[in-house]
Amino acid sequence: MINKILNKYPKKRPKLTKKILKIYKNEYRQNRNSKIFSYFESWLHKSIKKLKNKKQKTLEIGAGTLNHLKYENIDNKNHLYDIIEPKKFLLKKNKFINKINNCYKNFENTPNNFYNRIISCATLEHLVELPKFLAVTSFKLSKRGYHSHSIPCEGCFSWNVVNRLLMGLIFKLRTGCNYNLLMQHEHVNNFYEIYNLIKYFYKKIEIKFSYPLYFNQHFSFYANITFSNARYWRCKKYLLYLKKNNKKFI
């Protein structure tokens, strides 16, 4: 099973229609700043595992409009907080920007054996190079460092009903565009792919499920996966395979 998943990567992001491209930036920014979405997605942020010691180092992947920072008690003098966010237009005139130490374009450019925590909210489903991300970042963590990532239960019952059907109808009425085309462009990884890849590269895994029933992926909109203790030999083997086969990621 895991070989079938690994062989899907690197994934290619489906192209957007011209009509969606015209509204893309505005829709993306509105989604990130929406009070309604913020209320429903607050679980994503609250479920991220917090650091016990403020004098530690965090790397946030896909920081967007920095909407996670209000959930963190950051002391600028003691807590080093780095981010990765390629969409620079999301950071313009942001009130939290002074809390950021470094903004990187790519996770490969970050220092090794450095971070106590690597986190993200609704980001892993977007990564076309997800196995490479999981393998490379195992070497970015310090001793006893961990990952904590909140994701939508993409591809599961509750998420499909509410997000793809209900939100799709609202989006269609509001913009005249096909919501599924936008989601296929954005969410290239589903819950099962993310979870199984994490299990392949890491030993210690804890998972929490959100409302409405907090039971499993089919009866939850979101999940938080906290993991550590990398299987370094698998990480090295996969990265060596990519190097030998000259695989490039989009």
Side-chain angles (χ1 to χ4, degrees), residues 31-46:
N31 180 275
R32 288 282 184 156
N33 292 325
S34 169
K35 290 183 179 180
I36 296 175
F37 280 111
S38 294
Y39 174 78
F40 284 106
E41 293 181 353
S42 61
W43 188 92
L44 289 167
H45 301 278
K46 293 176 181 177

Side-chain angles (χ1 to χ4, degrees), residues 188-205:
V188 294
N189 305 309
N190 62 38
F191 171 84
Y192 301 101
E193 291 169 330
I194 295 170
Y195 183 60
N196 281 293
L197 285 170
I198 290 171
K199 284 199 303 181
Y200 180 73
F201 287 112
Y202 292 82
K203 299 175 187 176
K204 186 177 179 181
I205 302 170

Side-chain angles (χ1 to χ4, degrees), residues 35-84:
K35 290 183 179 180
I36 296 175
F37 280 111
S38 294
Y39 174 78
F40 284 106
E41 293 181 353
S42 61
W43 188 92
L44 289 167
H45 301 278
K46 293 176 181 177
S47 63
I48 296 291
K49 185 176 180 180
K50 301 294 187 290
L51 289 168
K52 294 180 180 179
N53 184 350
K54 291 182 181 179
K55 296 182 179 180
Q56 293 190 314
K57 306 175 185 70
T58 294
L59 174 66
E60 183 184 354
I61 310 297
T65 55
L66 307 181
N67 57 346
H68 177 67
L69 282 172
K70 65 183 179 182
Y71 296 91
E72 297 280 341
N73 184 18
I74 295 178
D75 180 344
N76 286 30
K77 294 180 180 178
N78 297 314
H79 190 159
L80 185 149
Y81 199 98
D82 289 348
I83 66 168
I84 294 174

